[in-house]
Amino acid sequence: MTWLITGGAGYIGAHVARAMTDAEERVLVLDDLSTGVPARLPAHVPLVHGSSLDADLLKRVCAEHGVTGVVHLAARKQVAESVAQPARYYRENVGGLATLLEAVAEAGVERFLFSSSAAVYGNPDVDLITEDTPCDPVNPYGETKLAGEWLVRAAGRAHGISTVCLRYFNVAGAAAPELADTGVFNIVPMVFDRLTRDEAPRIFGDDYPTPDGTCIRDYIHVADLAEAHLAAARRLTGATTPGDLTVNIGRGEGVSVRELITVIGEVSGDRRPPLVEARRPGDAPRAVASASRAAEELGWTARREVREMVESAWQGWLRHHGG
């Protein structure tokens, strides 16, 4: 098997590449390096600089490297940006996927693993979100991920490709400081950024119908997420007939925003109380995964707790931002 990982020099992609190479899977990476960092990759992993929108490049890579499976992570993923630039998100996330699937079908690749998101669900009013919870995305990013799932399954049926779609919940942490998230788009680095600038963390709304009034989310360590990709890739490798599988990737446990900020304060040593501001539009009170299908179908469960996520992310933050 040779696995092509698109977006493999990014924060999540580099973790997936490392997990798969550590497990002695053969991988190569395609990345446009808009957010990817080549130094994150193991030295022996080939890196092709390019885009999933480049059909000729994709065909050449599949042929020259004998690609037999694809892990597709390359995508734009910022919700606010997707609201401001919806056409760009549909072009890159859905158009790039369509171009990739055409190249994969032409090359006779029979295994495809798609990076999806819990954003496909929108804001369902349920205690645990299962894979059968109706999908109703509330922003263009979530829409592109849901459209991507439809496209992956349709291409699988048309071309005899076995497919898996992994719906990530809230990703945090780092397997090593050099692999840490360098962006300031998710809640953990956003709080770190505030503390580094000598400002208090912010909570958007403390009047939700939850025990402490703040939103509850399911946080997953990026190293656990990478291991889920490895488990899914091996599921695809062992498939004897084409099929499709959709799986939530989360811990199945909720942590409130206030609880998370308390842990960050303990780890960083900066325990200043957060500022409470008005609710943000579209924030659901609770979004927690049902993780049972991942255990049943992939033999995978998350192993790392929230404190380990925060501690590892903090070490990465200090490495990249000084301190």
Side-chain angles (χ1 to χ4, degrees):
M1 287 290 299
T2 298
W3 290 93
L4 171 64
I5 304 177
T6 68
Y11 165 53
I12 294 173
H15 280 88
V16 173
R18 178 173 292 197
M20 293 184 72
T21 56
D22 285 350
E24 300 185 345
E25 298 285 346
R26 183 180 302 157
V27 305
L28 71 146
V29 164
L30 174 77
D31 201 300
D32 67 5
L33 301 181
S34 58
T35 59
V37 180
R40 286 175 169 149
L41 293 171
H44 64 282
V45 171
L47 171 61
V48 178
H49 183 196
S51 167
S52 56
L53 288 162
D54 189 335
D56 291 338
L57 174 63
L58 294 171
K59 293 173 184 177
R60 186 166 67 251
V61 167
C62 286
E64 291 179 357
H65 293 271
V67 172
T68 52
V70 172
V71 180
H72 182 51
L73 297 108
R76 302 205 67 83
K77 61 177 186 177
Q78 303 306 324
V79 168
E81 184 182 61
S82 80
V83 173
Q85 302 177 43
R88 181 185 187 186
Y89 268 65
Y90 273 86
R91 180 177 62 253
E92 296 194 22
N93 289 6
V94 182
L97 173 60
T99 302
L100 176 60
L101 285 166
E102 288 177 339
V104 162
E106 183 174 318
V109 176
E110 297 180 344
R111 301 163 186 88
F112 197 95
L113 174 53
F114 178 59
S115 164
S116 188
S117 167
V120 301
Y121 295 114
N123 296 327
D125 184 14
V126 294
D127 286 338
L128 289 179
I129 298 173
T130 75
E131 291 83 356
D132 298 320
T133 298
C135 292
D136 186 19
V138 296
N139 53 64
Y141 167 67
E143 292 167 1
T144 65
K145 285 299 184 180
L146 182 56
E149 289 189 11
W150 294 339
L151 182 54
V152 166
R153 296 187 196 106
R157 290 191 296 270
H159 304 293
I161 303 169
S162 292
T163 65
V164 174
C165 297
L166 300 182
R167 292 173 174 170
Y168 310 168
F169 279 67
N170 298 269
V171 185
E178 64 271 19
L179 299 183
D181 190 358
T182 57
V184 186
F185 303 109
N186 300 316
I187 184 170
V188 172
M190 287 174 69
V191 174
F192 290 165
D193 182 56
R194 298 277 296 184
L195 297 180
T196 300
R197 291 188 284 113
D198 197 29
E199 297 174 359
R202 293 185 294 179
I203 289 176
F204 296 98
D206 65 350
D207 58 349
Y208 286 93
T210 61
D212 67 13
T214 66
C215 294
I216 292 174
R217 296 292 181 264
D218 189 332
Y219 297 95
I220 177 74
H221 197 298
V222 66
D224 281 328
L225 176 61
E227 290 168 4
H229 283 76
L230 175 61
R234 289 187 163 169
R235 161 71 180 257
L236 287 169
T237 301
T240 56
T241 57
D244 64 84
L245 178 66
T246 300
V247 183
N248 287 338
I249 301 299
R251 294 172 60 246
E253 299 178 10
V255 176
S256 77
V257 172
R258 191 176 292 278
E259 289 171 335
L260 181 67
I261 289 175
T262 296
V263 174
I264 291 173
E266 292 169 355
V267 169
S268 67
D270 190 329
R271 294 177 171 85
R272 73 184 74 193
L275 300 174
V276 178
E277 301 186 4
R279 291 187 184 191
R280 295 180 302 187
D283 277 349
R286 177 181 173 88
V288 179
S290 168
S292 58
R293 183 178 293 181
E296 294 165 2
E297 297 288 349
L298 302 180
W300 171 91
T301 56
R303 298 186 293 115
R304 298 163 179 88
E305 300 295 330
V306 169
R307 188 177 188 90
E308 185 174 351
M309 295 180 214
V310 172
E311 289 173 343
S312 62
W314 181 241
Q315 291 304 311
W317 179 266
L318 294 178
R319 176 187 176 98
H320 293 288
H321 296 85

